[in-house]
Amino acid sequence: MKFGTKAIHAGVEPDPSTGAIMTPIFQTSTYVQPSPGDHKGFEYSRTKNPTRHALQQSIAALENGKHGLCFSSGLAAIDAVLKLLSPGNEVIAANDLYGGTYRLFTKVYAKFGLKFHFIDMKDVSNIEKYVTDNTKLLWLETPTNPMMNIIDLAGASKIAKKHDLMLAVDNTFATPYLQLPIDLGADIVMHSVTKYLGGHSDVVMGALVANDDQLAADLAFIQNSSGATPGPQDCFLVLRGIKTLHLRVQRHCENGRVIANFLKDHPKVEKVYWPGFESHPNHNIAKAQMKDFGGMISFTLKGNSKEEAFKVMESFKLFSIAESLGGVESLVNHSATMTHASIPYEERQKIGILDSLIRLSVGIEDIDDLLEDIKSALA
Ligand SMILES: *Cc1c(COP(=O)(O)O)cnc(C)c1O
């Protein structure tokens, strides 16, 4: 089945009791058993709920994986992956991660005896230098947030397999429409469903997809034991959002391309970060592993002044200043003070999160209006 068909049909069956074409919101905590232990596969909604089950099947199908698991947020999904590890285990992570992921690793899990190496993975051969007998997990995002670096997934997977490491990929920015990490050798795909999968800025949710039966069973055990599961109403909203994922992402990409090119030639703009440019250092890898380049764009201003960046951001009329991304509406973010404030200043400078860095989540509004908004804000 092709992607657009899966987005609409995968995981979703007409409700057997009524024929309802849309999966109902099973707003129930428990399920009646005619005799103890005799049930229809549903006992308690933390463990399994029909609305969540349909969504998990849908996301797994979109990622070309066998098993899907939904969590109450993207960070709860990442948290479940880390709970596979034991004290003394080491994790090699990309040094340009979502700020909350960095915070979870360094502020929560480091004190439980996990050791993290945050390294530059733009050249994946760098990874091997950090592998020890204790290394268990490779964690990366591509494109990265907010620098839009590209990491070679097939290359990272080769290294993971050689050293028997688990490879987990945060596929939030790309979405399965643009990039399929499991096909390229990843063991776990993670999503902040909050972003493009939900797509309408009305739900906070996370997901994991895995192919291996044992790995998926271990993650499902953690999902049920720790209990960070989403409610059925939120699952319904995401099932609805996913039906237009392919159309939305196509338009995000189209609008993103026009805006990236406009910014590149603007006299006030110093540098534009977008993997679609031939001059992007890993453009060829992006071209090989992604269908298109997405709607996320970062740029810096000449002079690198934070005040100037704030002035530009406050001048937008359509782009709203907000955290998050991936919704139908356009958003603008100042990474250093908003999403990435939890990363220390020196670390931010190293990565390139300068004071004038502005990140755009280009929405699916009419491109003429978006361009006009950017033109007048920069003026
Ligand atoms: C938002 C985000 C997360 C965290 O997800 P939440 O749903 O906010 O918990 C993780 N990774 C990336 C790339 C994100 O953008």
Side-chain angles (χ1 to χ4, degrees):
M1 214 187 275
K2 294 278 175 62
F3 192 92
T5 314
K6 281 202 265 189
I8 291 164
H9 294 286
V12 182
E13 303 276 347
D15 174 48
S17 63
T18 61
I21 190 161
M22 287 303 138
T23 307
I25 303 168
F26 284 93
Q27 195 77 47
T28 186
S29 60
T30 192
Y31 307 81
V32 176
Q33 309 185 4
S35 168
D38 175 12
H39 58 78
K40 301 182 167 78
F42 300 94
E43 297 160 88
Y44 186 63
S45 278
R46 169 164 33 75
T47 317
K48 197 171 174 189
N49 171 284
T51 319
R52 191 177 93 219
H53 182 68
L55 175 61
Q56 293 182 159
Q57 300 287 100
S58 164
I59 295 177
L62 293 178
E63 284 288 355
N64 283 353
K66 251 161 71 185
H67 308 279
L69 294 165
C70 287
F71 295 84
S72 53
S73 71
L75 281 171
I78 301 172
D79 181 83
V81 175
L82 289 184
K83 283 176 176 150
L84 294 166
L85 306 180
S86 306
N89 287 171
E90 297 185 21
V91 179
I92 304 175
N95 66 351
D96 176 14
L97 288 179
Y98 176 70
T101 307
Y102 181 83
R103 183 177 55 200
L104 178 68
F105 288 4
T106 56
K107 296 279 168 43
V108 178
Y109 275 98
K111 71 169 187 270
F112 288 107
L114 295 183
K115 189 169 170 194
F116 297 91
H117 304 270
F118 296 96
I119 70 160
D120 187 341
M121 291 192 188
K122 291 193 286 281
D123 177 357
V124 287
S125 70
N126 206 14
I127 296 170
E128 280 196 304
K129 287 186 243 163
Y130 296 86
V131 176
T132 73
D133 290 346
N134 297 323
T135 311
K136 292 284 181 248
L137 174 68
L138 270 188
W139 184 278
L140 61 90
E141 298 172 15
T142 179
T144 66
N145 178 15
M147 300 313 297
M148 307 306 297
N149 288 314
I150 297 293
I151 297 171
D152 175 6
L153 287 174
S157 145
K158 218 190 258 168
I159 293 166
K161 291 209 167 30
K162 180 170 158 201
H163 297 282
D164 201 20
L165 314 176
M166 206 159 42
L167 172 61
V169 176
D170 181 338
N171 204 29
T172 300
F173 266 40
T175 81
Y177 178 71
L178 296 180
Q179 172 173 285
L180 292 163
I182 285 178
D183 286 359
L184 297 169
D187 300 293
I188 299 174
V189 173
M190 174 263 156
H191 275 281
S192 172
V193 174
T194 315
K195 316 295 168 51
Y196 287 102
L197 295 188
H200 296 75
S201 307
D202 49 10
V203 169
V204 172
M205 195 190 290
L208 299 175
V209 178
N211 244 348
D212 183 77
D213 295 341
Q214 187 56 49
L215 176 58
D218 292 346
L219 289 166
F221 179 81
I222 293 167
Q223 181 197 39
N224 185 45
S225 302
S226 292
T229 50
Q233 167 100 27
D234 284 356
C235 293
F236 173 86
L237 286 170
V238 174
L239 276 167
R240 183 179 185 161
I242 281 177
K243 290 185 194 297
T244 54
L245 178 65
H246 51 306
L247 300 178
R248 288 186 283 109
V249 178
Q250 275 167 19
R251 181 60 65 86
H252 285 296
C253 291
E254 277 170 36
N255 285 354
R257 172 173 280 105
V258 175
I259 288 171
N261 281 299
F262 172 80
L263 288 170
K264 181 167 63 91
D265 298 329
H266 196 283
K268 287 195 179 155
V269 172
E270 176 73 32
K271 185 151 190 213
V272 184
Y273 300 87
W274 180 66
F277 291 134
E278 271 175 37
S279 59
H280 184 288
N282 278 345
H283 172 71
N284 286 333
I285 296 170
K287 233 167 94 175
Q289 70 189 20
M290 298 173 75
K291 198 178 200 158
D292 203 341
F293 304 107
M296 297 302 299
I297 301 166
S298 296
F299 64 100
T300 51
L301 298 174
K302 289 208 173 115
N304 191 33
S305 141
K306 180 166 138 183
E307 289 66 37
E308 274 296 304
F310 276 29
K311 227 164 82 187
V312 168
M313 290 176 65
E314 288 160 7
S315 308
F316 280 120
K317 293 196 173 63
L318 280 173
F319 282 84
S320 304
I321 301 174
E323 308 229 353
S324 201
L325 60 108
V328 289
E329 62 287 306
S330 292
L331 299 179
V332 55
N333 175 289
H334 189 258
S335 302
T337 43
M338 297 169 69
T339 43
H340 290 68
S342 53
I343 297 178
Y345 178 81
E346 294 73 34
E347 203 56 38
R348 285 205 305 265
Q349 298 307 302
K350 256 197 269 170
I351 302 166
I353 306 179
L354 301 180
D355 285 347
S356 74
L357 187 87
I358 295 172
R359 188 192 77 184
L360 301 178
S361 170
V362 177
I364 63 171
E365 299 95 334
D366 194 290
I367 186 62
D368 293 341
D369 293 324
L370 292 181
L371 265 186
E372 193 48 49
D373 198 31
I374 293 176
K375 261 184 222 168
S376 63
L378 281 168

